[in-house]
Amino acid sequence: MPRQQERISYISDITIDGASGRRQVRISDLSLGGCFVDSISTHSEGEAIKLLITGADGREMEFDGKVAWLSGGAGFGVNFVEMDDEHIEFLRSIVKG
């Protein structure tokens, strides 16, 4: 399935909360619609998760997401869900630089 938004390389430590608990992980790319989480932790496709992302300016924002696909133990793709204008502007400030 093709991506709907262009992703940029964005390496950042984030906090993720899902069925397997709350932990620190790293994202390696980001778009207005989702991100890729570098993690060996086990998650299921379709699992609802929460992500606490820090912007370049140090501001944090929590996002609701859903695991979109798994990458064989190397991580997983996340689609953001239920975003409002504040979430979109936060992501735009990172993605558009």
Side-chain angles (χ1 to χ4, degrees):
M1 179 163 120
R3 291 190 176 130
Q4 294 179 347
Q5 292 93 12
E6 181 181 350
R7 289 194 178 192
I8 63 157
S9 177
Y10 184 72
I11 298 172
S12 179
D13 292 327
I14 68 164
T15 302
I16 190 168
D17 195 359
S20 60
R22 188 174 180 92
R23 63 176 45 98
Q24 289 290 120
V25 295
R26 177 168 287 174
I27 59 173
S28 57
D29 69 26
L30 182 69
S31 77
L32 297 179
C35 64
F36 183 80
V37 178
D38 297 314
S39 174
I40 58 171
S41 63
T42 56
H43 290 276
S44 302
E45 203 168 304
E47 180 183 338
I49 57 175
K50 292 194 178 288
L51 305 96
L52 183 63
I53 299 175
T54 304
D57 61 1
R59 189 169 57 116
E60 294 181 327
M61 183 167 283
E62 186 173 85
F63 287 82
D64 291 320
K66 190 170 278 195
V67 176
W69 53 275
L70 306 172
S71 179
F76 52 93
V78 174
N79 287 332
F80 298 134
V81 296
E82 299 181 23
M83 291 195 306
D84 59 20
D85 291 341
E86 189 177 1
H87 286 96
I88 293 167
E89 285 307 312
F90 178 87
L91 292 172
R92 227 179 237 135
S93 72
I94 297 170
V95 173
K96 303 298 181 190

